[in-house]
Every structure is written in structure tokens, then in C-alpha cells.
Amino acid sequence: MKRGRNKSKKDGGVSLLLSIIVVFGILGAVVFSVARKISTEMSASAIQNLSESLDLIECTIEAVLGKEAEFQRLMAQEIAIWTDPEEYVRTFQKSQTMVKISLIRTGETRGISNTNELFSEEGLDFSAGGTVDGLPVSKSYTNYMGTWAYTMKCPVEKEGEEIASLYIEYVYDSLDRALPNGFYNNRAMLYIMDAESERMVLKPKGMGERSAGHLNLEDFFRANDILDEGLREEVAASVRNGKNIMFNHDIRGRNSLIYMWSVNEGTIYLIGYVPIEAIQQEGNTVNQNILIVVAVMLVAFFLCCVLYYFNQRQQNKIRKEREQEREIHNRQLAEALQAAQIASNSKTTFLSNMSHDIRTPMNAVIGFTTLLSRDAENPEKVREYTKKIMASGQHLLSLINDILDVSKIESGKVVLSVEEFTLNDLVSSVDAIIRPMAGARKQKFHVDVTGIKHEYLLGDETRINQILINLLSNSVKYTQEGGNIWFRLIGMKQRSPQFEHIRIEVQDDGYGMTPEYLNIIFDAFTRAENSTTNKVQGTGLGMAITKNIVELMGGTIDVSSEVNKGTLFRVELELRIPEGQTNRRFWRENGISRILAVDNDEVICENIHLLMIDTGVEADTVSSVDKAMRILQENNVADKTYQLLLIDWNVADAEGIQKVKELRDMVPENMLVLLLADYDTGLDESILTGNTKVLTKPFFVSAFQEKIQEIRAEQNRGNTDAVTVANSLEGMHFLAAEDNEINAEILREILEIEGAGCEIVENGQLAVERFRDASEKEFDAILMDVQMPVMNGYNATRAIRALERKDAAEIPIIAMTANAFAEDEKEALDAGMNVHLAKPIDVELLKKVINQYVTRKD
């Protein structure tokens, strides 16, 4: 019986071996058949690919010729509007493509060239009738440089009448840059032949050996042993009729495929050959790879059969158990996947909203910090940079506060914070963020403000800032380098006297958008997809966020765009005008009742008028420096004297710096002279002396006031010391609890700058012990962090208030912490602290709070 079982196993093994051999044989036959079929199809496909490649080269050359013809027509149109066409031609510089430009007036046989020599059509042969986009093209010839060239002729028409003919000589070498660098690993040969003369006019780079050049078609036939008269006659007929032809021929012992391809309706031809073995190389490689893959598959098949044979019984035994386990596991995986997807979507939405808004102001902070280190010796630029860093930092801080507000994230609701703000601060903060971004891409950033009657408004400045930065940062990202970005604030007709109706326009001349994408631009997680914008990364949430905020404010947003021409966004908002916003007292105290503005832009003059109406200051405008001089001479009367002169730098630049200096010299030395200039205008430093300063565009009354205050402060720096002392921390001494070394160093430096002393301990327990052991009135106040080791700020405050000494209940304790929520402020006050200040610390606010509570104690 055992022998029978062994025999049965042996017979089963033989049967399995025979089965495998049969399978191998069948697979071998199939592979051989498939390999032969693939080789044949690959050869046919390679010939088709060669035809498509030649078609592509044909299209490329025709596109180059078409562009040349189009540019020549444009030149002819420009020449037509010139009063002296010959002068235009003489001054035109030759290029690598156009080596000679000539003009012959109608009715004349000779004309001029940009080479300052006489020109005639004699020597140019246009008889073949070839054209490029309707323009006659001459027979190819060698020019004075020994290079093959051709000339295109274009009529110059003015008011429907032909006044001249424009001739431009192009060289064939310029086509070389537009052609591919070689065929079939440089094994293919390619020439460009002039069909009329049958001369080889160009041997493109990388197309065979350069030493194997031919002069003409006959030379090509002779060199490649194409002697069959019937074949040569067929080739000649194809050239005469502008047809393509391709045929096999032995070239130097190798079977090759010769091709002659018509370009531009047969005016020129692509001539060359490629060895058949090069065409079939891809097919042979594919066959080899197929054999390798099949061999690997057969080995794997054999191993699988062996493994199957030995493991079949064991697999059957445990299959049911595995199926049960798999069912349980799959159910668990599905539940885990669903939970992970929900968590991932929440995280992605949160991080996308956060990243989009934080990076733009952070870019401004880093950029202006770099500029600050470079211009540290220039006080005016230091003040300007620090002001913009502060604006960007404040915007960043407001975004962080919103991001960290858990209730808003969980509910998905945004509540507007309506407060008074100025358009000047809004424009300045946006400018500080966007201008460096545009500058990095060599883009021009234009800011225009027109028709605004009130610059102090009520609204959520942070959200408006967010709208503007979303729109402008997208314009910067989706505009090519060297493009233009326009940011406009336009005052519209008021629907109600209590509201300022404002239109915000953000425009660029960038890539633009398709009509299909415009329909979904305000949907979440959508982005325009094309070969240009795919390089720009983004979440697709910016426009959805912007639209929601605009609608929350009761406004509207719309967009118009055209591919490769640019995009225009329009946002319209109505913002309440606060009551009693005009500070007329400022102008009276500074003795300013009349100003004279010199500007040749009527829009800017009107804007100055509108914004100065409510100030009580009379603003006169003139369009030139000469008119300003006459007015100053005529109005040299006490009650008509101007106290300030405002000059647009465009006027100064156009009429000359010397005139502006003369105008400044004729006014009293104490009269302020402000130059109204764009942010990136390069000013002549020699004019910025004395009371002559720069006011950055666009014009705002608040910025105007700040500049005057800045100048007055410089003039009366000694008188302002007493005012500064009244709000300073000079002579005070504080106890501070701060466990972070960097924060402690910053706090110490800030207080030392203000003339105050500070003793810093590392935790709340040390703060309690130090105050307990201190003499009475040794410390004016305690600055308390909240999150500290050993003892936190809340417990430390409670311990200090519980001490049995008179000043323990009276000494001001000020919370300075990164815990910025409303509940954190409530907990600080409940613990016994006097006031809660969120980090980063606002120095002016800290001084104000300390003086308030220290004075109350005194």
C-alpha cells in the first residue's frame, strides 16, 4: 500500500512536470508570435512617429515664419504713422533674425536701409510666387555675410493707400534655435532646402555629422547613390507640386528611410534620412524586455505551482478562520478610515485657513526686518520700517487670536469686530505686506485712492485687511514676473449720509482665468489648473473665505478675467462714518489755515480737496511750479499767506529740481514743504533739506497729520521731553515673574530703555518670597506671567494678596501672558490681578496701564 502511494505521488509529480513543460511551450510560442507582431507594429509606429516629428518641425518652422510676417506687418503699421519713415528704418537695430531692414516708397525704385545704404529690389527674386501669411517671400540667396537668407516684402499702407514697401532680410540660421536637437540619438540626417533653387540653406545642429554636408539636391542624390531616374523624376515632381515623399534606400550599406517634407506650401523642404535599424531599435528593446518579463513570470509560475502543491491542504484548513478574521478586520478598518478622514478633513481645513493668512504678514515682518538691519543708520527709514513691521505684526497677532479662539473654530462662525479705523492705516498695512511680495517678483505695485470723502470709518479692519491681502497676494502669485498689480480705493456715490460707499478694485495683467473656472472661483477648495499656474501652491480656500467675509459685511464681490490678459476683482462695501471725526483743533494749534498743492493730476487735486474739506483748512491747487510762484507772489498778504506747500514729485521731476528749489527759496524758511511721492520713487537727496520732507502717496489727512507731527517733534525735540516724562516709567522699580529667558531679556531691555529698573524671578513661588522679604514701596508694581513651574501666576497672586502687610493688597499686579482668551482675563482678575495684558506686549499700553495704577496707589 505504501508502495502504491509512492507510485501515485511519483505519477502525480510527472504529470505536474509535463503540464508545466506544455505550459512553457505554449507560452514560448505565444511570446515569439507576439514579439514578431510587436516588432512589425513598432516599425510602423516608428515611421508614423517620424512623420509626426517632421510635421512638428514643419509646424515649428511655419510658426516662426508666421511670427516674422506678423511682426513685419506690425512694423509696417508703425512706420505708417511715423512722420519720417526713413528715420524709423535707420534707427532700427538689426537682430539675430532680422539682419537688414529696407524701405522703398511707392513709385520709387530705390530706398534706404538700416545699414545707411541705398537699397533696391534688384537682385531679389520674388517670381516663384511663394508667400508667408500672404507676404511675398524671395528666392533664397547668400547675403553679404555669406549666410543663406531670404527677404519678405510687406506693403506699408496709410489711410487705405500703399505708400511704401517694407523689405526685411531674415537668415535661415535663426530657424536653428527653434528646431529639436537631433533625431534618433543624432543618427538621423536633416537639411533645409530652398525648393526653387534646390540649394541646401541650413544644416540644423545635432542632425548627423556636420562634415557630411551637401550643397544642393543633386549633390545629396550623388552622395547617397540615388541614381534611379524614375525615382529622381518622382522626387522632382513632388518638389514641383509641394508634396511630401518618403522611400527606402541603401545608404553606405545600411537600409535607410529617406524623407522630403514640404514646408510653407512647398517653398522650402526638409530633406534627410534615418537608418531603419534606428527606427526598429525601440521595437527590439521592447521584445527583449518582454522576453525578460515572460521568463520571470514563468519562474514565478513554477514556484507558485510548487508552493501550491505543498501548501494546499494547510491553506484549506485555515481558510475559514482567516475569512472570519478578515471580515472583522475589514469592519474595523472601515470604521478607523472614516474617523481618520473626518479628523484629516478638519485638520486640513484648519491648517489651510491658518497658513494662507499667516504667511503674508509674516513675509512683511521678515522682509522689513532685513531692510531695518541694512538701513539702521537712517532714522527716517528706521521709523518707516518699524511702523510697517508693527502694522504687519498687529495684523498677524489678530489672525492668531482668531485661530486660537476654539469656539469660533468649532462652530464655524465669524463675528465682526466693528471699531473705528483709518483708511491710511489700512492702506499702509496692506502696502507693507504686498509691496515686498511684488518686489520679489519684479512686479510694479500701484496704489490709487480717489473720490474718498471720509478716511475715518467704522468696521472690522482686520477682516477688511484679510480681504485685501487675499486678493492682492493671489494677484502677485498669479501674475508673471515683471507684471503689474493695481490696488484702488474709489469713493462711490453715497446711498446714505451716514455711510461711505467704497469700491475696492484689485487688478493685474497676469495669467487670467477661463470662463469655466470663473463660475466656481468662490467655491471652497477650488483652484485654476493649467500649465502656468500649477507651479503656484494654494489651498483653494482664499476666495471662499473672502466672499463669506464680504457678504458678512453686507457687501458684494465680483470678478472679470480673460486668459493671458489679467483679472479684475471688485468689492463694494458701505462703512459707517463715525461722528465728530474731524480734528480741527490740530490744524489751529499748528497754525495751518491755508495750504497750496502743486500737482498736474486733476484726480489727486480733487482727492486732496475732498479729504481736507472737513478740516477747516483751505486747500488751493495749481498744475505747475510757475503758477505756484505767481500765486505765492500775488498772495503775499498776512491773511492770505500759505503755511504749507505740497508738491507732487511727478511735477518736480518733469519741470526740474532746480525750479522746485527756487520755489522753496522764495517761501519763508519756517514754511513746511512736503513732496508727495510714490513709495519706490528715487528722490534727489539734495532737495530734502530743512523743512522739506517726503509724504508717501496716496494722500490721506491722517498721514498728513502724522508727517506734520513728526516734523514738529524734530523741531521742538527739547520741548517734548517734559511731555514724554509725564507718561514715562523713569525711576520706577518692578518685580517680574517670567520663566522664559528670552521674554525676560526683552522685558528687562524695554524697561531699561524707559528708565525703569526690574528684578526678575523664575517662578511664582520666588515672586511671593521676594515680595514678602522686600521693604515697603521697594517695588512700584509686579509684572506676573501665568504659566510657570513650581507655582503659576494665579496662585502666586492669591498668595501675595494674602500676605499680612499693608501694601500686599494695594500693589498693582499686572498679568503679562500669552493666554489671550476672555476666560483667561476673567481668571486673572478673579485671582486678584489689576489688569490683563496679552503678549506680545504693547509698550505704550504697558506704560499707560502702569502709570494709571501706580498713580492710583499714590
Side-chain angles (χ1 to χ4, degrees), residues 578-839:
E579 296 180 4
Q581 63 164 295
T582 304
N583 184 7
R584 298 196 175 204
R585 181 180 175 184
F586 169 85
W587 305 100
R588 290 196 301 270
E589 289 178 350
N590 283 273
I592 299 175
S593 59
R594 295 188 73 199
I595 66 172
L596 178 62
V598 184
D599 200 314
N600 54 11
D601 190 333
E602 294 182 2
V603 175
I604 295 179
C605 291
E606 180 63 21
N607 192 48
I608 294 174
H609 267 301
L610 288 173
L611 291 175
M612 293 299 294
I613 285 176
D614 293 335
T615 63
V617 177
E618 183 178 353
D620 297 332
T621 59
V622 293
S623 60
S624 68
V625 175
D626 291 334
K627 291 181 180 179
M629 289 181 175
R630 287 198 298 271
I631 289 180
L632 289 172
Q633 291 172 351
E634 295 170 1
N635 291 1
N636 193 15
V637 185
D639 59 343
K640 292 187 177 182
T641 302
Y642 294 100
Q643 293 83 35
L644 189 143
L645 195 58
L646 188 63
I647 306 174
D648 193 304
W649 179 250
N650 292 332
V651 176
D653 199 31
E655 299 188 20
I657 304 300
Q658 187 59 37
K659 272 195 174 185
V660 177
K661 291 181 178 179
E662 293 174 4
L663 176 61
R664 186 185 61 191
D665 292 339
M666 71 178 294
V667 301
E669 288 186 4
N670 61 350
M671 178 185 286
L672 296 180
V673 179
L674 297 181
L675 295 176
L676 193 61
D678 290 322
Y679 175 87
D680 51 357
T681 301
L683 299 178
D684 188 346
E685 294 294 334
S686 64
I687 200 173
L688 301 178
T689 59
N691 288 332
T692 304
K693 302 293 180 182
V694 177
L695 179 62
T696 304
K697 291 181 180 178
F699 178 87
F700 283 109
V701 175
S702 57
F704 194 19
Q705 288 182 215
E706 290 176 4
K707 179 59 68 173
I708 294 173
Q709 288 175 327
E710 179 183 322
I711 296 172
R712 296 300 190 207
E714 291 179 359
Q715 295 172 343
N716 306 302
R717 195 170 299 279
N719 298 331
T720 59
D721 292 341
V723 178
T724 304
V725 170
N727 195 35
S728 73
L729 307 179
E730 186 74 35
M732 294 185 181
H733 191 57
F734 302 97
L735 174 62
E738 175 60 69
D739 64 316
N740 185 287
E741 293 181 1
I742 295 178
N743 290 343
E745 182 180 353
I746 292 173
L747 178 61
R748 181 183 288 111
E749 292 293 332
I750 289 175
L751 293 176
E752 286 181 0
I753 291 172
E754 297 297 329
C758 180
E759 183 175 337
I760 298 177
V761 294
E762 297 177 359
N763 57 63
Q765 181 64 45
L766 293 176
V768 174
E769 295 172 357
R770 181 65 184 91
F771 179 77
R772 182 192 61 200
D773 299 334
S775 59
E776 188 175 351
K777 297 195 177 184
E778 180 178 349
F779 298 109
D780 294 287
I782 298 175
L783 308 178
M784 185 73 71
D785 192 11
V786 171
Q787 292 185 355
M788 294 182 292
V790 184
M791 180 182 288
N792 63 39
Y794 300 137
N795 293 335
T797 300
R798 294 186 182 97
I800 290 174
R801 295 301 188 202
L803 291 175
E804 295 182 359
R805 48 184 292 173
K806 180 181 177 181
D807 57 348
E810 299 174 355
I811 186 167
I813 302 179
I814 300 171
M816 295 197 310
T817 174
N819 295 355
F821 295 119
E823 54 267 30
D824 298 318
E825 182 175 1
K826 183 179 183 300
E827 188 173 357
L829 297 178
D830 291 343
M833 298 182 184
N834 296 82
V835 68
H836 176 279
L837 296 180
K839 294 179 181 178

Side-chain angles (χ1 to χ4, degrees), residues 467-624:
I467 293 170
L468 296 176
I469 291 175
N470 276 347
L471 296 177
L472 288 166
S473 61
N474 278 345
S475 290
V476 171
K477 289 190 294 185
Y478 292 98
T479 299
Q480 66 280 359
E481 288 194 1
N484 292 274
I485 312 294
W486 290 271
F487 168 37
R488 306 185 189 97
L489 282 180
I490 304 171
M492 308 296 289
K493 183 179 179 182
Q494 292 178 261
R495 299 189 179 102
S496 170
Q498 287 81 32
F499 289 86
E500 180 82 13
H501 186 188
I502 294 177
R503 173 183 289 171
I504 301 169
E505 290 187 353
V506 174
Q507 184 177 6
D508 61 69
D509 56 0
Y511 307 134
M513 293 175 281
T514 62
E516 294 79 9
Y517 180 64
L518 285 177
N519 294 328
I520 60 170
I521 184 174
F522 294 116
D523 294 343
F525 304 101
T526 58
R527 293 180 64 243
E529 299 289 338
N530 58 55
S531 60
T532 304
T533 62
N534 278 344
K535 300 176 182 178
V536 180
Q537 297 182 353
T539 62
L541 289 172
M543 289 299 99
I545 295 170
T546 300
K547 187 173 188 294
N548 288 335
I549 296 174
V550 170
E551 291 178 347
L552 189 63
M553 293 181 176
T556 61
I557 181 171
D558 61 74
V559 58
S560 59
S561 183
E562 190 171 350
V563 175
N564 295 328
K565 290 190 177 180
T567 302
L568 171 62
F569 283 92
R570 287 192 180 94
V571 176
E572 290 197 12
L573 298 173
E574 290 194 51
L575 302 173
R576 180 175 287 278
I577 303 167
E579 296 180 4
Q581 63 164 295
T582 304
N583 184 7
R584 298 196 175 204
R585 181 180 175 184
F586 169 85
W587 305 100
R588 290 196 301 270
E589 289 178 350
N590 283 273
I592 299 175
S593 59
R594 295 188 73 199
I595 66 172
L596 178 62
V598 184
D599 200 314
N600 54 11
D601 190 333
E602 294 182 2
V603 175
I604 295 179
C605 291
E606 180 63 21
N607 192 48
I608 294 174
H609 267 301
L610 288 173
L611 291 175
M612 293 299 294
I613 285 176
D614 293 335
T615 63
V617 177
E618 183 178 353
D620 297 332
T621 59
V622 293
S623 60
S624 68

Side-chain angles (χ1 to χ4, degrees), residues 240-287:
R240 285 195 303 271
N241 297 323
K243 304 296 183 181
N244 300 331
I245 186 172
M246 189 180 294
F247 56 92
N248 288 315
H249 189 75
D250 281 343
I251 297 179
R252 287 184 287 279
R254 291 186 299 179
N255 188 19
S256 302
L257 187 64
I258 297 177
Y259 46 81
M260 302 184 68
W261 222 252
S262 169
V263 179
N264 194 36
E265 299 180 350
T267 57
I268 57 178
Y269 263 81
L270 303 176
I271 295 181
Y273 61 85
V274 58
I276 295 297
E277 62 184 24
I279 295 177
Q280 294 178 339
Q281 182 176 358
E282 295 178 358
N284 295 333
T285 302
V286 170
N287 287 334

Side-chain angles (χ1 to χ4, degrees), residues 300-507:
F301 174 76
F302 175 78
L303 292 176
C304 289
C305 290
V306 173
L307 291 174
Y308 180 83
Y309 179 79
F310 289 105
N311 294 299
Q312 182 65 33
R313 292 182 179 180
Q314 184 180 359
Q315 293 295 330
N316 290 333
K317 183 178 179 179
I318 63 175
R319 182 177 294 114
K320 292 184 178 181
E321 296 178 355
R322 287 187 176 180
E323 287 177 354
Q324 293 175 354
E325 293 176 356
R326 189 180 297 112
E327 184 178 353
I328 296 172
H329 186 59
N330 287 341
R331 185 167 60 249
Q332 293 174 344
L333 284 177
E335 293 172 355
L337 178 61
Q338 184 178 6
Q341 287 176 339
I342 294 173
S344 178
N345 291 337
S346 299
K347 180 194 69 174
T348 301
T349 302
F350 172 79
L351 292 178
S352 297
N353 283 278
M354 179 178 67
S355 177
H356 183 273
D357 293 331
I358 285 181
R359 289 182 184 275
T360 41
M362 181 57 72
N363 178 68
V365 171
I366 294 173
F368 279 109
T369 303
T370 303
L371 295 176
L372 188 63
S373 63
R374 187 192 67 186
D375 298 324
E377 303 301 324
N378 189 329
E380 289 192 6
K381 288 191 175 181
V382 168
R383 282 193 296 271
E384 178 184 346
Y385 294 158
T386 52
K387 179 180 177 182
K388 291 180 178 179
I389 290 173
M390 180 62 72
S392 299
Q394 291 295 336
H395 174 63
L396 183 61
L397 180 60
S398 66
L399 291 175
I400 293 174
N401 288 337
D402 284 344
I403 291 168
L404 297 178
D405 191 334
V406 178
S407 63
K408 292 180 183 179
I409 295 172
E410 289 180 346
S411 64
K413 296 179 180 179
V414 177
V415 179
L416 296 179
S417 177
V418 178
E419 297 177 347
E420 183 174 331
F421 70 97
T422 69
L423 291 178
N424 174 49
D425 292 340
L426 180 69
V427 173
S428 297
S429 62
V430 171
D431 188 276
I433 294 170
I434 299 301
R435 190 172 295 277
M437 295 173 60
R441 292 174 58 82
K442 300 181 179 59
Q443 297 167 343
K444 294 181 179 179
F445 182 46
H446 311 275
V447 181
D448 296 315
V449 179
T450 57
I452 300 294
K453 297 179 181 178
H454 304 87
E455 66 175 282
Y456 290 86
L457 300 169
L458 291 174
D460 191 332
E461 183 181 8
T462 300
R463 295 301 175 187
I464 298 174
N465 203 313
Q466 186 177 359
I467 293 170
L468 296 176
I469 291 175
N470 276 347
L471 296 177
L472 288 166
S473 61
N474 278 345
S475 290
V476 171
K477 289 190 294 185
Y478 292 98
T479 299
Q480 66 280 359
E481 288 194 1
N484 292 274
I485 312 294
W486 290 271
F487 168 37
R488 306 185 189 97
L489 282 180
I490 304 171
M492 308 296 289
K493 183 179 179 182
Q494 292 178 261
R495 299 189 179 102
S496 170
Q498 287 81 32
F499 289 86
E500 180 82 13
H501 186 188
I502 294 177
R503 173 183 289 171
I504 301 169
E505 290 187 353
V506 174
Q507 184 177 6

